Amino acid sequence: MRWEMVKLGDIAETSSGGTPNRSIKKYWTDGNIPWIKSGQLKDCIIEKADEFITDEGLKNSSAK
């Protein structure tokens, strides 16, 4: 399968400031939700996430 390359801003809204607390390991260890840092969104091609958060990390943060 081939993926179409699009600008993220054309298909989604982005924001910053919702990062789950990095000092709480259960929010980050063995996570399955891709986590993209806001700094990666500027003039960058993102092919995959380098980090992942857990369901609990998502629920206990202001991430959307």
Side-chain angles (χ1 to χ4, degrees):
M1 178 186 330
R2 186 172 176 152
W3 295 94
E4 180 181 354
M5 190 177 302
V6 298
K7 289 184 178 181
L8 189 57
D10 290 345
I11 61 169
E13 291 183 30
T14 62
S15 63
S16 63
T19 304
N21 190 327
R22 290 187 179 274
S23 67
I24 301 176
K25 296 203 183 295
K26 64 183 175 180
Y27 291 175
W28 295 90
T29 303
D30 298 323
N32 62 350
I33 300 168
W35 187 257
I36 303 297
K37 293 178 235 168
S38 59
Q40 292 177 271
L41 300 177
K42 297 181 187 220
D43 302 323
C44 183
I45 295 174
I46 300 170
E47 294 184 23
K48 63 179 181 146
D50 294 330
E51 297 181 294
F52 296 83
I53 61 172
T54 63
D55 289 329
E56 191 169 356
L58 179 60
K59 290 176 190 170
N60 291 291
S61 72
S62 60
K64 299 175 186 170

